Amino acid sequence: MVYRALAQAVYALIQVRAQQHMHTTTYTFFTVLDLLPVVTGLSSDQCERATRRLQDLGLIYKTSGALPTQTTRTRHYQGGTWVPTTFLNAETGEKVSTHACAGTWVAVLLRPAPGIKARVVSHELPPCPRDLTTDRKTGRTAWQRLQEAKIKVRESILFSGDKFDITSLFQWSLPESNQKSLGTIDSRTSVLGDAQTPQELVWSLSRIASVHPHHRREAVQEGAA
């Protein structure tokens, strides 16, 4: 479910940017992985374990794009998604400037094959697209999205088809004015309908295996059609 949600976010982002996906094997985008529970309905622990497992398998690769620097006993990160931001000290009321992680660069392997792993080319990453201070002033934060979603934690994975609202995953890669909700564009029907090559069709049909057995007969008939 986590891999499918990330892949769906990639294809939605490609569509919004009017890019081509026909020959894209790996796509890197900027996101906030803390929002995976909002998208999948799984707990934070489940999503964290899933992303670690997916990275071990080479299906995704995640990085902050920052370089660690050791000063005395404290490790700091500079560059990448670690950007200067201003916080208000709760005790003194003074403004304090510090470096904070704004999100994560995630590379998603779209066409898995033996020996191929997702990777991030650090020197090709653009500057971090987020301004944390402005985010907080406008209420555009991951914490705010978590509160709005009112997450109900599930301790078991229940496959509910392929429909995810993945806007919250890819919105951080887009300018505020260019954002729009694509909702559940990546349903099983739309994926099968958009398949242009035999390889894409086979990849789409393989998703039937994750459909709940109660709906699998319908899914098989739809794929056959």
Side-chain angles (χ1 to χ4, degrees), residues 62-94:
K62 54 180 182 173
T63 179
S64 69
L67 298 175
T69 58
Q70 191 76 31
T71 57
T72 61
R73 297 181 179 179
T74 306
R75 172 176 287 189
H76 299 277
Y77 292 88
Q78 294 183 347
T81 65
W82 287 76
V83 295
T85 185
T86 303
F87 292 93
L88 196 64
N89 188 301
E91 297 180 356
T92 64
E94 297 179 355

Side-chain angles (χ1 to χ4, degrees), residues 160-181:
S160 57
D162 297 333
K163 297 183 178 180
F164 298 105
D165 182 0
I166 37 72
T167 307
S168 57
L169 281 180
F170 70 82
Q171 67 169 354
W172 315 102
S173 294
L174 299 171
E176 190 81 28
S177 59
N178 194 30
Q179 292 182 31
K180 61 179 180 179
S181 177

Side-chain angles (χ1 to χ4, degrees), residues 28 63-65 80 105 120-127:
T28 303
T63 179
S64 69
W105 289 103
V120 174
V121 183
S122 299
H123 68 270
E124 293 181 357
L125 294 177

Side-chain angles (χ1 to χ4, degrees), residues 24 29 48 55 62 66 72 74 85 101 111 164 182 196 202 218 222 224-225:
T24 302
F29 71 109
E48 176 62 28
Q55 179 151 317
K62 54 180 182 173
T72 61
T74 306
T85 185
C101 186
R111 305 179 191 279
F164 298 105
L182 297 184
Q196 301 293 324
V202 170
E218 176 188 346
E222 180 185 317

Side-chain angles (χ1 to χ4, degrees), residues 97-154:
S97 181
T98 185
H99 275 71
C101 186
T104 306
W105 289 103
V106 179
V108 181
L109 186 63
L110 300 177
R111 305 179 191 279
I116 299 179
K117 292 188 175 183
R119 66 189 184 95
V120 174
V121 183
S122 299
H123 68 270
E124 293 181 357
L125 294 177
C128 177
R130 289 190 62 189
D131 182 341
L132 293 183
T133 301
T134 301
D135 277 349
R136 282 199 310 278
K137 290 180 179 178
T138 59
R140 183 174 178 256
T141 64
W143 183 87
Q144 184 65 28
R145 293 303 301 269
L146 288 169
Q147 298 304 307
E148 293 172 356
K150 296 180 180 179
I151 301 171
K152 295 181 180 179
V153 175
R154 293 206 310 257

